[in-house]
Amino acid sequence: MRDSNIMDTHVLSRAFVSNKLLRLVETLADQGQVLLESAAIEIPPRAISTVLMIGEIPDVTAADIATSLDQPHQVATQRIAALIKLGLITKRPHPTDSRSKVLILTARGREQYQSMMVILEKIRAMMDALFDEIGCDLAGKAVEAVAALKARPLIERARELGEGDAK
């Protein structure tokens, strides 16, 4: 992936914020993968939050993870399947709901979880330093932007500009 593209300097550059954010996500995922591998962590970068929840929440289910992470259920189950295949988690019957399965870390999964927690603390510190470097709490601003867009979607903003249905 390139460091920049034409949309970074185009007169309409700000209309392409999703392109810029996608490149940021991909850059973080790629560099995160290298960082995790350097720490002998086998958990895929996009499954870190799933493992965090399994490690922290007793009797957590795939549905709980999907809801909590605001992901489609299919995405959560795909990540869970990958973690099972890696031998990091397993399923067992839910203690109070016979229709559900809870997710638990295997012995190897617990080792990986502990290593992951160490590296996550380092990543948090790295992100704090990055945010200081760029002069913006990017994580906080991302949350604010999502909330603002949910409160007033783009279509409403277009109407406020007198663009009607943005045709």
Side-chain angles (χ1 to χ4, degrees), residues 72-90:
H73 192 269
Q74 180 180 0
V75 170
T77 56
Q78 288 171 348
R79 290 185 180 154
I80 288 163
L83 293 167
I84 289 170
K85 187 174 181 180
L86 288 169
L88 300 175
I89 67 170
T90 189

Side-chain angles (χ1 to χ4, degrees), residues 47-60:
I48 293 287
S49 55
T50 299
V51 173
L52 182 71
M53 289 189 66
I54 295 167
E56 290 186 347
I57 302 171
D59 299 333
V60 70

Side-chain angles (χ1 to χ4, degrees), residues 1-163:
M1 182 182 337
R2 295 173 40 178
D3 292 338
S4 64
N5 69 33
I6 192 170
M7 290 304 111
D8 291 342
T9 56
H10 194 279
V11 67
L12 297 173
S13 176
R14 287 184 169 223
F16 293 90
V17 69
S18 62
N19 177 275
K20 296 167 189 357
L21 292 176
L22 181 58
R23 286 192 350 250
L24 175 61
V25 167
E26 292 300 323
T27 299
L28 286 168
D30 291 348
Q31 292 183 12
Q33 177 78 39
V34 172
L35 188 61
L36 293 174
E37 287 172 0
S38 75
I41 296 172
E42 300 171 31
I43 304 163
R46 287 186 169 89
I48 293 287
S49 55
T50 299
V51 173
L52 182 71
M53 289 189 66
I54 295 167
E56 290 186 347
I57 302 171
D59 299 333
V60 70
T61 66
D64 297 332
I65 291 170
T67 300
S68 295
L69 296 178
D70 197 21
Q71 297 174 335
H73 192 269
Q74 180 180 0
V75 170
T77 56
Q78 288 171 348
R79 290 185 180 154
I80 288 163
L83 293 167
I84 289 170
K85 187 174 181 180
L86 288 169
L88 300 175
I89 67 170
T90 189
K91 294 179 182 181
R92 70 167 192 229
H94 193 285
T96 60
D97 182 357
S98 62
R99 298 166 297 157
S100 295
K101 302 282 186 204
V102 297
L103 304 166
I104 56 172
L105 297 170
T106 62
R108 192 161 147 264
R110 284 190 296 278
E111 291 170 6
Q112 287 282 299
Y113 172 82
Q114 292 303 321
S115 297
M116 178 191 81
M117 294 304 287
V118 170
I119 201 76
L120 282 178
E121 181 54 39
K122 290 178 182 177
I123 292 170
R124 186 209 49 80
M126 287 182 241
M127 290 298 108
D128 286 348
L130 175 64
F131 298 161
D132 287 346
E133 180 181 329
I134 65 173
C136 174
D137 174 3
L138 194 54
K141 290 298 179 187
V143 171
E144 287 178 34
V146 169
L149 287 168
K150 285 188 176 186
R152 275 185 32 244
L154 289 178
I155 192 69
E156 287 181 28
R157 293 167 189 270
R159 288 182 186 123
E160 291 169 7
L161 291 172
E163 298 297 323

